[in-house]
Amino acid sequence: MKHLPVLIIGAGPTGLTLACELARRNIQVRIIERSAEYPNGSRAKGLQPRSLEVMDDLGIADELLAAGSTDLIFRRYNGNTLLGDVKREVFQRTDTRYVQGVIIPQWKVEEVLRAKLQTLGIKVELGTELINFSQTDNQVSAVLKTTQGEETVQCAYMIGCDGGKSTVRKALGINFEGETHEDERAFVGDVQVDGLTPDAWHIWLHPEVGFGFALCPFKCTDSWQVQTIALPDADGKLAEPGLETFRRLFAERTGMEGVTLKNATWASLYRVNVRMADRYRSGMVFIAGDAAHAHSIAGGLGMNTGIQDAYNLGWKLAAVLTEQANESLLDTYEEERLPIAAWTLNISSERQKIMTDSLKTGDGGLHTIGTKDTTQLNLNYRYSSLSKQNNEQPDGLQAGDRAPDGQLPDGRRLFDLYRGTHFTILKFAPANVSIERLSERYGDQVKTFTLDNEAAASFGSLANVYVIRPDGYIGLIANGTDETAISTYLDKFMIRQEV
Ligand SMILES: Cc1cc2nc3c(=O)[nH]c(=O)nc-3n(C[C@H](O)[C@H](O)[C@H](O)COP(=O)(O)OP(=O)(O)OC[C@H]3O[C@@H](n4cnc5c(N)ncnc54)[C@H](O)[C@@H]3O)c2cc1C
């Protein structure tokens, strides 16, 4: 019997991000994974700009960018006729370093996250499956099947990051409302390709099928991701996903000669599920990522939303486990993230329809999927009970908005000030709250910066002070002379230091 603060079930991108968030705050954590080996399938092909900002905070964005591509174009064909190239749309803005997402296979994202986690002293426990659990008011007892036999773990909190078929969600009796679109299926997989240059995402439109065939190359491997609509044959049966099926459909739907698909390392049948959990918490157990929401892959949001669930939950769990914050802080995880899941289900269904319709008219393709909103930079928690604003801010950012990045006159960027596990307070010349007093009171849990007034353009009023949460959202906008409001806000998340 062992006693542990946090047990994470599942080592996909959600579980790994959460483990990193906890480990870098010195919270002891175990992360278990049922599979005996790390997955090698490409699955999600990209990190959206907001997830890159999360990875920036973890110090691994540059490595991920180097392993992926941001400038891959779409090359469209109608059968074997080349229609031309289309660039991915870039939604220019100055408040982020990452205007474009990066195309990178999910296994690579997981590999980089695992390496980060290892530097923090935590290793994924492979071949270890949660098979049962029970809980009391203050602890969870989890039964694990390991390569050595059964083990019972006592932990304060357990987080189910165990994917769409989540054992944790089902055992908690949490509803997963929605629908499965049995008629929207696709074969997906990874193959090597001879006869095409890996400088573009090749997409074949097809007069009957619409989305005929797609082959997306990756920079960090010689494998390409296959996607092609799966339709039943005359007997109503679906083919088995695999190299033979990929080759047959490629020949039928593209008519292209001189291209060979070989060495399939992953093959799967994907069906669109549009569902979400009606609760994210039951007592001491939480769910996150695909365990909490499933939707179309159009818009590329699944992995990204899971990563951002974990980013929201991590700092809150750490604050409660170190007795800095009241337990009720954990309820704000569901309060903040469940509406984001609802939004994600809607936008990905909308993007799916737009893509399908545009493919039918023959002029569309995957380049129609991304929007300003699928960058996830515009998501906010304005509706959250943690978002407080006690001074007028008619223009500019509101409490709950994502804190912007931007260049500072001294060569630093705003994100350089936020990076880390602390709260950040930004003030401008007219604000007279005392940095020294706040530092004395809260030590290194809070970092305060006085900015050049020019930087105020990114925020709003010069007279206000902006308190930014560890996950980069503005928690409080307060009058710059109102030190009490700032302390009252911070006292919810940390204990004052003895002076
Ligand atoms: C073809 C395809 C394309 C996609 N494209 C995109 C895209 O472009 N962008 C995007 O954001 N998303 C995309 N997705 C979705 C993305 O893959 C998922 O949203 C993502 O994997 C969710 O991560 P997760 O960590 O929540 O769950 P998962 O990745 O499913 O990880 C859950 C882990 O938990 C483990 N597990 C399950 N039960 C147990 C148990 N009882 N005990 C221990 N371990 C357990 C599983 O083995 C698994 O490793 C795509 C998916 C597919 C299939």
Side-chain angles (χ1 to χ4, degrees):
M1 293 277 230
K2 296 175 187 167
H3 202 102
L4 178 78
V6 183
L7 174 65
I8 298 175
I9 314 301
T14 307
L16 289 167
T17 305
L18 182 60
C20 286
E21 280 296 276
L22 291 165
R24 73 177 175 140
R25 291 174 168 85
N26 298 318
I27 302 293
Q28 202 198 337
V29 58
R30 282 179 67 181
I31 172 165
I32 64 161
E33 170 53 53
R34 165 166 72 190
S35 306
E37 287 173 5
Y38 299 125
N40 65 353
S42 56
R43 290 165 297 151
K45 284 189 297 306
L47 287 168
Q48 297 288 358
R50 179 60 188 152
S51 296
L52 281 170
E53 291 186 338
V54 173
M55 299 302 154
D56 181 313
D57 189 22
L58 284 171
I60 52 177
D62 287 343
E63 194 180 339
L64 289 160
L65 280 170
S69 348
T70 49
D71 53 0
L72 203 63
I73 50 170
F74 294 107
R75 184 157 299 149
R76 296 177 311 142
Y77 308 79
N78 195 347
N80 62 3
T81 310
L82 178 66
L83 297 175
D85 290 349
V86 189
K87 281 196 172 151
R88 284 167 73 202
E89 200 165 352
V90 183
F91 303 100
Q92 290 297 348
R93 51 196 289 168
T94 54
D95 66 348
T96 182
R97 196 180 300 193
Y98 308 104
V99 284
Q100 288 196 80
V102 61
I103 292 180
I104 183 170
Q106 182 169 326
W107 62 258
K108 186 68 186 178
V109 174
E110 292 172 356
E111 186 181 282
V112 174
L113 279 167
R114 278 197 307 269
K116 172 73 194 179
L117 192 57
Q118 209 152 352
T119 66
L120 296 164
I122 310 287
K123 214 167 171 257
V124 172
E125 298 174 41
L126 286 173
T128 306
E129 179 178 6
L130 173 81
I131 50 173
N132 205 349
F133 65 92
S134 58
Q135 60 172 317
T136 64
D137 284 350
N138 58 10
Q139 79 172 22
V140 182
S141 179
V143 182
L144 312 183
K145 192 168 109 194
T146 75
T147 46
Q148 317 292 316
E150 266 188 24
E151 179 191 358
T152 301
V153 178
Q154 309 293 344
C155 54
Y157 294 101
M158 186 174 84
I159 324 297
C161 304
D162 50 346
K165 294 185 180 149
S166 175
T167 308
V168 176
R169 184 191 66 236
K170 288 178 189 162
L172 292 173
I174 295 178
N175 289 328
F176 204 41
E177 298 287 350
E179 49 198 33
T180 301
H181 298 186
E182 289 296 347
D183 54 336
E184 289 179 48
R185 290 172 293 194
F187 293 119
V188 291
D190 292 328
V191 294
Q192 287 175 340
V193 179
D194 286 341
L196 285 178
T197 43
D199 60 340
W201 187 337
H202 300 254
I203 296 158
W204 287 265
L205 310 180
H206 188 274
E208 284 132 46
V209 180
F211 184 52
F213 212 93
L215 284 167
C216 177
F218 295 116
K219 187 169 154 195
C220 58
T221 166
D222 57 3
S223 250
W224 301 51
Q225 188 182 76
V226 175
Q227 284 176 289
T228 185
I229 299 288
L231 295 174
D233 62 19
D235 302 334
K237 289 199 184 123
L238 274 186
E240 280 296 309
L243 186 59
E244 201 187 317
T245 302
F246 297 154
R247 281 180 167 168
R248 176 174 59 79
L249 294 176
F250 183 78
E252 284 173 17
R253 293 175 179 178
T254 75
M256 200 145 180
E257 290 181 358
V259 177
T260 309
L261 311 187
K262 59 183 193 184
N263 296 340
T265 49
W266 172 61
S268 183
L269 176 69
Y270 164 80
R271 62 169 63 78
V272 177
N273 261 308
V274 184
R275 295 176 184 276
M276 61 182 273
D278 59 1
R279 283 178 297 143
Y280 278 18
R281 174 180 194 179
S282 177
M284 309 302 276
V285 183
F286 295 78
I287 53 172
D290 273 18
H293 38 76
H295 46 83
S296 156
I297 58 178
L301 297 174
M303 167 172 75
N304 288 277
T305 305
I307 285 170
Q308 290 164 51
D309 285 345
Y311 196 51
N312 183 288
L313 183 57
W315 70 272
K316 294 175 180 173
L317 269 173
V320 170
L321 281 161
T322 50
E323 298 181 354
Q324 304 284 316
N326 189 293
E327 234 273 333
S328 61
L329 177 63
L330 296 177
D331 290 330
T332 67
Y333 164 62
E334 175 184 303
E335 180 195 341
E336 294 186 340
R337 295 303 299 173
L338 196 138
I340 300 279
W343 172 86
T344 307
L345 261 58
N346 283 336
I347 191 163
S348 50
S349 295
E350 174 203 292
R351 300 324 299 162
Q352 172 82 29
K353 183 166 177 352
I354 284 172
M355 185 191 76
T356 312
D357 290 351
S358 72
L359 282 164
K360 281 185 195 143
T361 62
D363 66 348
L366 288 175
H367 63 284
T368 60
I369 290 187
T371 71
K372 282 186 189 129
D373 287 335
T374 58
T375 63
Q376 298 178 309
L377 293 168
N378 297 333
L379 292 174
N380 66 70
Y381 301 134
R382 286 186 186 182
Y383 48 85
S384 167
S385 57
L386 297 182
S387 304
K388 302 278 184 212
Q389 195 155 327
N390 60 5
N391 204 27
E392 284 291 299
Q393 172 107 330
D395 302 315
L397 296 172
Q398 307 293 308
D401 285 351
R402 163 188 156 275
D405 194 9
Q407 192 68 54
L408 295 171
D410 63 5
R412 288 180 301 174
R413 297 188 62 99
L414 282 163
F415 261 51
D416 297 330
L417 314 186
Y418 314 151
R419 195 175 299 109
T421 57
H422 54 275
F423 276 72
T424 310
I425 300 184
L426 300 182
K427 67 177 200 132
F428 303 95
N432 66 357
V433 291
S434 158
I435 293 187
E436 291 71 29
R437 251 196 315 273
L438 286 167
S439 300
E440 231 172 56
R441 229 174 258 161
Y442 300 109
D444 56 12
Q445 304 170 91
V446 175
K447 291 191 180 165
T448 308
F449 301 93
T450 305
L451 296 185
D452 192 283
N453 286 355
E454 276 172 40
S458 309
F459 284 86
S461 168
L462 278 178
N464 285 335
V465 164
Y466 301 83
V467 178
I468 297 163
R469 306 170 4 168
D471 59 353
Y473 290 86
I474 300 174
L476 173 72
I477 299 180
N479 183 312
T481 58
D482 192 352
E483 212 168 291
T484 309
I486 299 169
S487 285
T488 306
Y489 187 79
L490 291 175
D491 285 346
K492 282 192 288 195
F493 309 103
M494 59 197 78
I495 294 168
R496 294 185 188 204
Q497 316 248 314
E498 300 280 335
V499 274

